[in-house]
Amino acid sequence: MSAATLTFARSNGRPRRFAFDSVLLMAVSGILLLGLVMMTSASISIADKQQQEPLYFLIRQLYGVGFGVLGALIMISIPTQVWEKLAMPLLLVAFVLLLAVLIPGIGHEVNGSRRWLRAGVMNFQASELTRVLLLIYLCSYVVRRQGELKEELKGFLKPLGVLMGAAALLLLEPDFGAATVLMATGLGVLFLAGVKLRHFLALVAIAAAGMALIAVTSAYRLKRLTAFLDPWADPFNSGFQLTQSLIAIGRGELFGVGLGSSVQKLFYLPEAHTDFVFAVLAEELGLAGVIVTLALFILLVWRSFYISRLAAEAGLAFQAYCAAAFGIWLALQTFINVGVNMGILPTKGLTLPLMSYGGSSVMVTLGWLGLLMRIHHEAQTSGRLAVSRSPRRERVESEE
């Protein structure tokens, strides 16, 4: 038995320490804690008025965080190969969830949208989990069909059809924002997988045209899409939400008006604790708080792609695509939410990850981060094994 094999056997004889990513933990903890503080500040007035309990939304958010941490620990303990093998069943579960919310009596309707399933003390937004399940399937597909994806158009059309089917069900809820982010993230993964550029550009153009057609054929969506161009033209109706958000951001100046001192959250800014928590943060913490918040998100996105590269170098293709998919999604949704708050993008109704109120959102995101941490561990472990089994190390150990 060679020295390299003995080394491997010895390492098998004792439990390996889990390779936690301290940078990832720091970024996630920073965003999550800042989010809890700002969400509580933004919601305390409306919670007191509606529920006669100022910390009502904080308590419910903590349920989501608790379940999310539990989900992350479960994801950390399960080898990623399990998810790769279960890609097809997970895809079926995703479509079952998307169909279930559309069934009266099962799907729960809020503000004209049927996006939620009843889950004990909270409503669970099905699109949050289905996005992860669909992307896991997509990452598995691009690994299994790498050659077909790169060489043949049908290799690209198959996963695109799955994405379009899921997007169509999301539009029936309706959830235009979630459908847009899912399509964009999926196309990003396919682009990284090496699809031919001419196929990619042609079908992206077709998908974009289709989404634009869907938007303009709905009076409600068209009104929301065009209101951001000049919100001051109708500041008390279609432009009300955006004008209040811009006032909040403008009041923040350099260091903000002080934590808890926001005026716009006092029943002026609708959805202050969900879609527009960033505007309250800008008002209370100012430009300094905005810079810190964006720096934490940039750090988390960068770390996702860094872990993706580690996995790719270790020969873990599926894991590399999963980590990249998380980074793409996080960057897209953060950019859209901040852009909406600042009036440079139309209102989409998308939350700010880990910061906005929403138990299902924070729960699924933390679970996905657990998967990311597992990928980091497996990439690091594979790298160490590759070094320990290298011919050069084997020769040195044999000479000793």
Side-chain angles (χ1 to χ4, degrees):
M1 185 180 289
S2 68
T5 307
L6 285 171
T7 301
F8 181 73
R10 284 197 300 269
S11 66
N12 260 347
R14 63 177 183 274
R16 293 193 187 118
R17 295 180 61 186
F18 193 90
F20 283 100
D21 187 341
S22 57
V23 177
L24 183 67
L25 280 174
M26 180 187 71
V28 172
S29 300
I31 294 172
L32 191 58
L33 290 174
L34 183 59
L36 287 172
V37 171
M38 294 314 307
M39 188 279 302
T40 303
S41 177
S43 66
I44 196 165
S45 298
I46 190 171
D48 187 45
K49 180 181 179 181
Q50 294 182 353
Q51 308 294 334
Q52 290 74 51
E53 172 52 64
L55 300 181
Y56 174 80
F57 290 108
L58 172 63
I59 294 169
R60 292 175 69 87
Q61 186 79 340
L62 288 174
Y63 280 126
V65 172
F67 284 123
V69 171
L70 178 62
L73 293 174
I74 293 172
M75 297 298 285
I76 284 173
S77 65
I78 299 175
T80 54
Q81 292 89 342
V82 172
W83 305 114
E84 186 175 8
K85 292 176 181 177
L86 292 175
M88 184 58 71
L90 293 177
L91 176 66
L92 295 176
V93 171
F95 275 95
V96 167
L97 288 173
L98 289 176
L99 289 168
V101 296
L102 300 176
I103 302 173
I106 297 178
H108 181 60
E109 185 174 335
V110 179
N111 295 330
S113 297
R114 195 180 294 275
R115 305 175 186 176
W116 292 269
L117 298 170
R118 290 287 189 185
V121 297
M122 59 185 291
N123 294 325
F124 184 78
Q125 191 168 349
S127 61
E128 295 290 342
L129 180 58
T130 55
R131 179 186 61 246
V132 178
L133 300 181
L134 285 163
L135 290 174
I136 287 176
Y137 165 78
L138 189 63
C139 293
S140 171
Y141 176 88
V142 298
V143 173
R144 290 183 288 106
R145 302 295 181 90
Q146 189 73 226
E148 183 181 352
L149 184 68
K150 290 182 177 181
E151 300 300 329
E152 302 180 35
L153 179 60
K154 68 177 182 179
F156 184 32
L157 291 176
K158 289 177 183 178
L160 189 65
V162 170
L163 290 173
M164 292 181 69
L169 291 174
L170 286 170
L171 290 171
L172 291 175
E173 295 181 3
D175 195 343
F176 186 77
T180 302
V181 171
L182 175 63
M183 286 294 297
T185 306
L187 289 171
V189 173
L190 292 172
F191 177 78
L192 291 178
V195 67
K196 285 187 176 181
L197 188 59
R198 65 177 183 271
H199 293 164
F200 179 80
L201 293 177
L203 290 171
V204 164
I206 294 172
M211 297 299 280
L213 182 63
I214 291 169
V216 299
T217 52
S218 168
Y220 168 73
R221 294 193 191 104
L222 184 60
K223 186 177 181 180
R224 294 187 70 180
L225 288 170
T226 55
F228 86 103
L229 297 174
D230 187 10
W232 302 102
D234 191 8
F236 299 107
N237 190 10
S238 62
F240 182 77
Q241 208 168 26
L242 181 52
T243 55
Q244 299 306 312
S245 176
L246 293 174
I247 291 171
I249 294 172
R251 291 189 72 243
E253 297 185 350
L254 189 58
F255 295 108
V257 298
L259 184 62
S261 300
S262 167
V263 172
Q264 296 308 114
K265 70 183 182 184
L266 302 176
F267 314 113
Y268 291 102
L269 179 60
E271 307 297 336
H273 59 301
T274 55
D275 301 351
F276 287 88
V277 70
F278 179 82
V280 177
L281 181 148
E283 184 181 4
E284 295 189 350
L285 304 183
L287 180 62
V290 167
I291 290 174
V292 171
T293 302
L294 294 181
L296 286 171
F297 275 108
I298 291 170
L299 178 61
L300 184 53
V301 171
W302 167 77
R303 203 62 184 176
S304 301
F305 286 110
Y306 172 78
I307 293 172
S308 177
R309 192 188 72 180
L310 283 181
E313 290 174 350
L316 305 174
F318 168 74
Q319 293 81 350
Y321 286 121
C322 283
F326 178 82
I328 294 170
W329 166 77
L330 181 67
L332 276 172
Q333 185 140 331
T334 302
F335 173 76
I336 291 173
N337 180 273
V338 173
V340 166
N341 277 249
M342 298 181 67
I344 61 175
L345 290 173
T347 304
K348 286 287 190 299
L350 291 172
T351 57
L352 187 59
L354 298 175
M355 294 192 71
S356 295
Y357 173 72
S360 52
S361 174
V362 72
M363 182 166 52
V364 172
T365 303
L366 286 173
W368 203 357
L369 282 162
L371 176 62
L372 194 63
M373 189 68 76
R374 178 73 196 192
I375 292 170
H376 175 267
H377 166 71
E378 293 183 1
Q380 292 281 31
T381 303
S382 297
R384 287 197 295 266
L385 288 178
V387 171
S388 68
R389 302 175 83 173
S390 65
R392 181 180 178 183
R393 178 163 181 161
E394 187 173 333
R395 286 197 303 272
V396 171
E397 290 180 347
S398 62
E399 289 172 2
E400 292 175 351

